[in-house]
Amino acid sequence: MRLKQNQQINQMKKYTYTEKKDTRSGFGAGMAELAYKNPDVVGLCADLIGSLKFEKFIEKAPERFFQIGIAEANMIGMAAGLATEGKIPFTGTFANFSTGRVYDQIRQSVAYSGKNVKICASHAGLTLGEDGATHQILEDIGLMKMLPGMTVINTCDYNQTKAATIAIADYEGPVYLRFGRPVIPVFTDENQKFEIGKAWMVNEGKDVTIVATGHLVWEAIKAGEILEEQGIDAEIINIHTIKPLDSEAILNSVKKTGCVVTAEEHNRLGGLGDSVAQLLITEYLAPQEYVAVNDSFGESGTPDQLMEKYGLTANDIVEAVKKVMSRKSESL
């Protein structure tokens, strides 16, 4: 699908990187900074200090850290109690245990009363890899965004995760912060300001909108470069805050391009794609394609193998773009 030779496209903004880091280490770096920036911040962990990168926080503020052990429900209850006393608790464990295992406690003790608890979840999605389906969770965004008053954030690289961790300490209300295990390119600004609920325009374009979140933002950038070579001008938006959704940014883009692809490391049911679909069905009808796990559990494998098998790569985004643009052409 190429544009005519006399039709000009914008040159895609180039993103490069010099290193790869895991987003969970961005959380650890943010917590280390909060250890001296905000004396009300306390950390709680369910026996996974190393996995959540809590070491620097503990080193700087040992009196404000609580090792709860393998007792996630108790951790959420303690966090709610600490919030009641004016503290800002950050809980940490795997995303599966942060949500599915303790959903009742989050709903009843945190969300229902709007407690100022920050639920921070590592090893989200498929890419924790070899631990397999029992530790992978692909439903957590849906679970958390359905809770009234819950803010849901899914960051794309080390720098953005660090910035988000620091930012949510100043935000009043419950937050779910989702990040991952694998090392990925660090491509966002080191000293960025993280604005909750404000989308980041990665690249402006006019032919198709690609709305991506988390690890899929880098895949969307790679897809945009492939599409540029094929004469397709993609607008790429990083939706790091899934709730509240930046509806204005998405609508402005889709009204310009006429179609959208959503990309996420999550079940296609209940995630970012469904939030965008709800927006479009009520505000502006346009063709949409999903790049997401198609209503299944994961399995053991390397992150790259799993991304390939479950259709979450740059090439999968490219194919979705071609499909949605064909649908757009048919509707004209």
Side-chain angles (χ1 to χ4, degrees):
M1 180 179 291
R2 289 182 176 271
L3 299 180
K4 294 178 181 179
Q5 289 184 347
N6 62 351
Q7 192 169 347
Q8 297 295 314
I9 71 168
N10 299 319
Q11 185 173 9
M12 182 172 169
K13 185 176 180 181
K14 301 301 179 187
Y15 289 88
T16 58
Y17 65 93
T18 58
E19 62 179 339
K20 292 184 176 184
K21 290 184 178 181
D22 48 334
T23 48
R24 59 178 172 155
S25 287
F27 169 71
M31 289 301 295
E33 198 161 317
L34 287 172
Y36 63 85
K37 264 191 173 182
N38 193 326
D40 289 327
V41 168
V42 296
L44 300 87
C45 189
D47 203 37
L48 289 167
I49 289 172
S51 293
L52 270 291
K53 306 298 182 181
F54 264 119
E55 294 94 340
K56 291 293 184 182
F57 181 86
I58 296 170
E59 180 182 315
K60 295 181 178 182
E63 75 286 357
R64 289 191 277 131
F65 177 79
F66 303 92
Q67 170 60 282
I68 311 304
I70 306 174
E72 292 85 357
N74 191 38
M75 178 173 68
I76 295 298
M78 289 179 65
L82 287 162
T84 300
E85 295 301 313
K87 300 302 180 184
I88 307 172
F90 281 64
T91 68
T93 184
F94 289 178
N96 194 13
F97 309 144
S98 288
T99 57
R101 178 170 288 182
V102 294
Y103 196 67
D104 179 63
Q105 284 73 26
I106 293 171
R107 183 183 187 275
Q108 303 297 92
S109 299
V110 176
Y112 181 65
S113 53
K115 293 290 193 306
N116 192 28
V117 174
K118 317 306 175 185
I119 301 164
C120 304
S122 181
H123 293 56
L126 284 173
T127 51
L128 67 94
E130 292 84 353
D131 287 351
T134 57
H135 282 57
Q136 296 159 349
I137 191 164
L138 299 166
E139 315 90 60
D140 55 316
I141 290 174
L143 287 169
M144 300 305 281
K145 78 176 188 180
M146 285 191 294
L147 290 170
M150 181 68 70
T151 294
V152 179
I153 297 171
N154 186 37
T155 49
C156 70
D157 75 350
Y158 171 95
N159 287 338
Q160 191 174 80
T161 308
K162 179 182 177 181
T165 302
I166 295 168
I168 64 175
D170 294 326
Y171 176 84
E172 183 68 30
V175 175
Y176 178 58
L177 176 61
R178 181 189 204 250
F179 42 91
R181 176 187 187 184
V183 293
I184 59 171
V186 181
F187 60 94
T188 69
D189 292 340
E190 182 178 0
N191 298 311
Q192 65 190 273
K193 180 182 178 183
F194 187 88
E195 296 184 64
I196 295 171
K198 183 68 173 176
W200 171 43
M201 180 65 70
V202 178
N203 185 71
E204 293 189 15
K206 62 181 183 295
D207 295 328
V208 61
T209 299
I210 302 174
V211 176
T213 188
H215 294 150
L216 270 290
V217 175
W218 182 250
E219 296 299 319
I221 291 171
K222 292 194 293 183
E225 293 171 349
I226 296 169
L227 291 165
E228 182 182 38
E229 294 175 357
Q230 299 177 7
I232 298 172
D233 191 10
E235 182 146 291
I236 303 170
I237 303 175
N238 171 11
I239 297 291
H240 50 67
T241 307
I242 295 170
K243 182 186 176 186
L245 189 68
D246 191 341
S247 300
E248 182 180 6
I250 295 169
L251 287 172
N252 286 343
S253 180
V254 177
K255 286 177 181 178
K256 175 173 60 173
T257 66
C259 59
V260 60
V261 170
T262 54
E264 59 192 310
E265 188 185 346
H266 188 269
N267 194 331
R268 63 176 290 156
L269 304 175
L272 170 64
D274 273 4
S275 291
V276 172
Q278 289 180 37
L279 174 65
L280 296 181
I281 201 69
T282 56
E283 298 290 339
Y284 186 81
L285 289 175
Q288 176 181 344
E289 290 292 329
Y290 288 70
V291 173
V293 176
N294 189 20
D295 193 23
S296 74
F297 291 102
E299 61 185 289
S300 296
T302 67
D304 287 344
Q305 288 171 335
L306 295 169
M307 293 280 280
E308 182 77 29
K309 176 169 181 177
Y310 288 88
L312 304 180
T313 69
N315 287 330
D316 294 299
I317 296 174
V318 169
E319 290 306 309
V321 164
K322 292 179 179 179
K323 184 175 181 180
V324 83
M325 288 184 66
S326 294
R327 290 174 57 202
K328 178 177 72 168
S329 298
E330 291 169 1
S331 65
L332 293 178

